Amino acid sequence: MDMLLFFILGLLVHFVFFGSIFDIYFTSPLVHGMTPQFTPLPPPAKRLVLFVADGLRADALYEFDENGNPRAPFIRNIIMHEGSWGISHTRVPTESRPGHVALIAGFYEDVSAVAKGWKENPVGFDSLINESKYTWSWGSPDILTMFAKGVGGDHIYTYSYDAESEDFGAHDVTKLDTWVFDHVKEFFHAARNNQSLFSKVNEEKIVFFLHLLGIDTNGHAHRPTSREYKDNIKVVDDGIKEIVSMLEHFYGNDGKTAFIFTSDHGMTDWGFHGAGHPSETLTPFVTWGAGIKYPQKVSVQKFDDAFLKEWKLENWKRQDIHQADVAPLMASLIGVPFPLNSVGILPIDYLNNTDLFRAESMFTNAMQILEQFKVKMTQKKEAILPFFFIPFKLLSESKQLNILRKARSYIKQRKYDEAVSLCKELIHLALKGLSYYHTYDRFFLGVNVVLGFVGWTSYASLLIIKSHSNLTRGVSKEVKKPSHLLACSFIALGVLVAFFLLIQDCPWTYYVYCLLPIPIWYAVLRDQLVARLFIFTLGIEVLVLSFFYRYTLTAGLVAFACWPFITQLRTRAKSISLSWIFFSLLLAVFPLMPVVGRKPDIFLVMGAGLLVLLLSLCVVTSLLKRKDHFINEELLLHLVQMLSIVLSMYVVYTTHDSLLKKQGLPLFNQIISWITLASSFVLPLLSPTSLFERLFSILLSSMSAYLLLSTGYEALFPLVLSCLMFVWIQVEQETLRQPSVSYKQKVTSLQFTCSPDITQFRQLYLDDVRRAFFLVFFLVTAFFGTGNIASINSFDLASVYCFLTVFSPFMMGALMMWKILIPFVLVMCAFEAVQLTTQLSSKRLFLMVLIISDIMALHFFFLVKDDGSWLDIGTRFSLPVTCFFFSSCSISHYVIVMSMTIVLVFLNGLAHLLTTKKLELCGKPKSHLI
């Protein structure tokens, strides 16, 4: 097969494999078409006030300050004299959007939001705000618009400040909260003089939603242990006190207002959220007012943690809930239908009402979740042939009716506790059934994708062995003509599969996943030579393990350091061997460093910059000695790049100092940062194309940008990685060196060229398989060497503060992505040199990389998770059941490995551009004196 056609086909196949996970693991669990359910009894409250303090940890609210006084005295008074309290347990990902959706709509992260970059819910959903008669909300535009988007009617009113106000570098971000409180006061003052507005705010079933972002912003900027974060809690406490007092006065103390104070998520000590650490998942929950139980004094609590004693609340009954349980509680308090997509379970212990009301509310909750189960089951049943449909056996139609009949009978007999218990049983079964039908097609689609994976890997292996290697030397070249029976059998199979999918009205993507393996396996089986052994199985398993245990990379690098001892390299090139061992062991330290939680250390960044400058001086001195004279333009370029390093160090240091003083990001620093980033793409192209000088120029430009994006020890990583890459180039050429050839002379004569002589390319040998494995290993190390790049939670937002401090998710994400790619590009540029020194065709080597990455991808395909946090991507892991299958994984594992196959070709093109292209200043060609 023509090589170009093969690569095009390979890219198409891998795009299909890549897209398959979105149909298999990341489809929305939400369903529509349910009948609204509400409690058929008068509600205790006419109106609900919801305070959400974004980013507030439970311990930060409940604890005492340094002087022994409550940090939030008003909320403490509520807990002890007016309402009920507990901890709201959030689910991962602990982010603002899914947290607010859980609170107000009652369901957790819709995994299909991956298609929207996790920025919004792509599927419409019902919420408490939608079910209310009127809702007025104040706060961040990112949150408020989410519940107003796509909602019909004019019953939702939002008031938000400008997005530019969310500035991590601002002097005082408590203004985000005081803005909300001030505008709420102005709103009710205006209502007294506006008859239409006054009439609306006195209706029943209304909601006031106050979103308070200051605490979260201060936490990101200064950390939750800072004075700013703690003082912001006091500001919020005072603001709530004023709002509650104003509302009670406005409504004449009618006792018909219910209040809820909680948070969407917590925050780690280092100022981040998104994962499952207790500091992120434990949020405060305090409620009081109409329909809520008063404080209950107890002598024994059912919780065995140390929180109660620390908070001095051991005598006040604590009632923990799940975050999604808040939505049905609020709906029950004001008498609106439970949100249709809610999976929350009503916490009836919070309700101060009759046993009848509590039982009826729980019955309504059970009916509402059962409605979702019925719709999901009907949808799946209608899409599958009757004899293939396997129903959820734990909740048959007869069992549903039996439980509902018993529960209704218990309510009539006033056996309310028994009715509540039955309703909870029904809810748990319905939730299990929802999950069952949502994942119904997962096994069927997974088998088809695996068949495609294995078939394609086998086909690529055959192509390498037959066409691009000496591995089959001596094997008969005679190939039998494929049987017509085989072709007809595969055609018939394809028609049968297509007909099976057609009568079930399956999506078009199902046809792709199910039909793709058929021609692939035909191409494999028509050939008499079938690959039976895949190379470096143990090494591939180590790579797979590294996605779960980063320190596996350390073990691999230590093994690399030992490699010269089992080869002739140790005796043939002692200095190179020692350098290889030293830098392998030095790089092995980085995977042992913490993933997240590291404190910013500007001195390490400064130290990395100084090391780069010292290395630059040594290189310039070496070049001056080696050349007869140093061309002015080349010397000027080196000085400019060294100046760029110095400016980066200056910007990092002064920006850090300015932000500590709360003076914001200096404009000069911001301009220099963007200029440095832009120039890092251009300056390497001005350097000579000799191998060493061009690679070193790329390193200097990359380091100037990387220093601006660093906050601690990671600034040293590209430097150490590049040193190892330089040694790798020498090691690979040494393995091919003839005894009569001077190695040093050969290195100095190497030049990157735009059009390599393909006649010099040789066929593959077994040692080239090792080179391909080295490349994959170094790429994985470049990804995971300093942290878990699969999670945005692993990055300190402070790493982009040299460029901007105003919250801009896409710009910040782009900068963080470039920080990820810099080590990757350094490896690819070094590999360009390896290909040049070993006279190895990149196309042939990519075939081997493709096979290695496909084997890894096959592992992760079965391990993709559609729940959990973005940090769980690289940290949650259980012991393998076999050497091939692991218990937990997520989309990013699969994405990284598949991207290694799909994007590697394009990144290799970038590396080829950086190493071979030469920009001429003023149109004057340069001569390179050696």
Side-chain angles (χ1 to χ4, degrees), residues 592-609:
L592 299 176
M593 303 295 283
V595 178
V596 291
R598 53 182 183 268
K599 296 181 180 179
D601 193 335
I602 298 302
F603 294 104
L604 284 177
V605 181
M606 296 296 103

Side-chain angles (χ1 to χ4, degrees), residues 133 193 571 629 631:
K133 189 164 187 178
N193 303 315
T571 56
H629 64 276
I631 298 175

Side-chain angles (χ1 to χ4, degrees), residues 491-517:
I491 292 173
L493 178 62
V495 172
L496 183 64
V497 170
F499 178 74
F500 174 77
L501 298 174
L502 181 64
I503 60 178
Q504 295 193 99
D505 195 25
C506 292
W508 67 269
T509 51
Y510 281 38
Y511 289 84
V512 178
Y513 308 141
C514 297
L515 293 176
L516 182 62

Side-chain angles (χ1 to χ4, degrees), residues 372-672:
Q372 296 181 70
F373 170 81
K374 289 180 178 179
V375 170
K376 193 77 172 179
M377 180 183 69
T378 301
Q379 290 178 352
K380 188 55 61 180
K381 191 174 183 179
E382 291 175 351
I384 297 177
L385 294 174
F387 48 86
F388 283 120
F389 179 70
I390 304 175
F392 182 62
K393 297 179 181 179
L394 295 179
L395 191 57
S396 61
E397 292 188 19
S398 60
K399 187 164 187 177
Q400 297 173 33
L401 294 173
N402 185 46
I403 292 177
L404 291 174
R405 191 182 300 112
K406 278 187 176 181
R408 179 52 64 191
S409 175
Y410 282 143
I411 292 175
K412 288 182 179 179
Q413 298 173 29
R414 299 185 179 181
K415 297 180 179 179
Y416 301 120
D417 290 341
E418 290 85 347
V420 168
S421 178
L422 266 181
C423 290
K424 288 183 178 180
E425 178 187 350
L426 180 59
I427 288 173
H428 289 300
L429 289 174
L431 291 176
K432 285 184 179 179
L434 277 172
S435 176
Y436 172 80
Y437 286 119
H438 179 61
T439 59
Y440 193 90
D441 291 335
R442 187 169 290 181
F443 178 76
F444 168 71
L445 294 176
V447 167
N448 282 279
V449 173
V450 168
L451 288 173
F453 257 123
V454 175
W456 174 257
T457 305
S458 301
Y459 181 72
S461 302
L462 285 172
L463 189 63
I464 290 178
I465 294 174
K466 293 185 63 180
S467 306
H468 300 288
S469 76
N470 290 330
L471 301 179
T472 57
R473 184 173 295 170
V475 180
S476 173
K477 302 293 183 181
E478 182 179 345
V479 180
K480 296 181 180 179
K481 186 177 181 179
S483 169
H484 289 293
L485 178 61
L486 182 65
C488 293
S489 299
F490 273 88
I491 292 173
L493 178 62
V495 172
L496 183 64
V497 170
F499 178 74
F500 174 77
L501 298 174
L502 181 64
I503 60 178
Q504 295 193 99
D505 195 25
C506 292
W508 67 269
T509 51
Y510 281 38
Y511 289 84
V512 178
Y513 308 141
C514 297
L515 293 176
L516 182 62
I518 294 176
I520 292 177
W521 276 105
Y522 173 72
V524 173
L525 296 179
R526 69 192 294 269
D527 204 303
Q528 302 303 309
L529 181 62
V530 179
R532 296 180 180 273
L533 183 63
F534 295 104
I535 303 170
F536 285 17
T537 301
L538 179 61
I540 293 173
E541 293 304 316
V542 170
L543 286 174
V544 173
L545 276 170
S546 70
F547 281 69
F548 301 96
Y549 291 123
R550 288 176 58 242
Y551 57 76
T552 307
L553 295 173
T554 297
L557 289 166
V558 171
F560 280 13
C562 298
W563 174 57
F565 294 102
I566 60 174
T567 65
Q568 296 180 356
L569 191 65
R570 178 174 58 89
T571 56
R572 193 166 58 188
K574 290 184 178 181
S575 61
I576 296 175
S577 298
L578 290 175
S579 299
W580 172 264
I581 294 169
F582 174 75
F583 286 113
S584 294
L585 294 177
L586 190 60
L587 190 64
V589 174
F590 287 92
L592 299 176
M593 303 295 283
V595 178
V596 291
R598 53 182 183 268
K599 296 181 180 179
D601 193 335
I602 298 302
F603 294 104
L604 284 177
V605 181
M606 296 296 103
L610 290 174
L611 286 175
V612 174
L613 289 176
L614 180 62
L615 182 61
S616 302
L617 290 174
C618 294
V619 169
V620 171
T621 303
S622 174
L623 290 174
L624 286 170
K625 291 180 179 179
R626 197 178 71 191
K627 295 190 174 185
D628 295 334
H629 64 276
F630 206 47
I631 298 175
N632 292 335
E633 289 85 348
E634 296 179 17
L635 179 59
L636 177 61
L637 177 62
H638 279 288
L639 293 178
V640 168
Q641 289 187 303
M642 292 172 67
L643 177 62
S644 180
I645 295 290
V646 173
L647 284 175
S648 294
M649 295 169 62
Y650 168 80
V651 169
V652 170
Y653 184 81
T654 55
T655 298
H656 178 73
D657 185 62
S658 178
L659 292 177
L660 281 179
K661 296 177 180 178
K662 300 182 181 178
Q663 295 175 354
L665 171 61
L667 179 60
F668 174 79
N669 289 15
Q670 189 174 25
I671 294 173
I672 292 297

Side-chain angles (χ1 to χ4, degrees), residues 601-614 616 641-656 672-673 676-677 680 699-719 798-803 815 818-819 822-823 826:
D601 193 335
I602 298 302
F603 294 104
L604 284 177
V605 181
M606 296 296 103
L610 290 174
L611 286 175
V612 174
L613 289 176
L614 180 62
S616 302
Q641 289 187 303
M642 292 172 67
L643 177 62
S644 180
I645 295 290
V646 173
L647 284 175
S648 294
M649 295 169 62
Y650 168 80
V651 169
V652 170
Y653 184 81
T654 55
T655 298
H656 178 73
I672 292 297
S673 297
T676 301
L677 179 64
S680 66
L699 171 61
L700 290 182
S701 292
S702 299
M703 282 301 300
S704 64
Y706 201 86
L707 288 175
L708 294 171
L709 293 166
S710 298
T711 61
Y713 76 88
E714 79 272 19
L716 296 164
F717 180 73
L719 180 60
S799 63
V800 301
Y801 283 176
C802 290
F803 295 89
L815 289 169
W818 181 239
K819 181 179 180 181
I822 286 175
L826 292 174

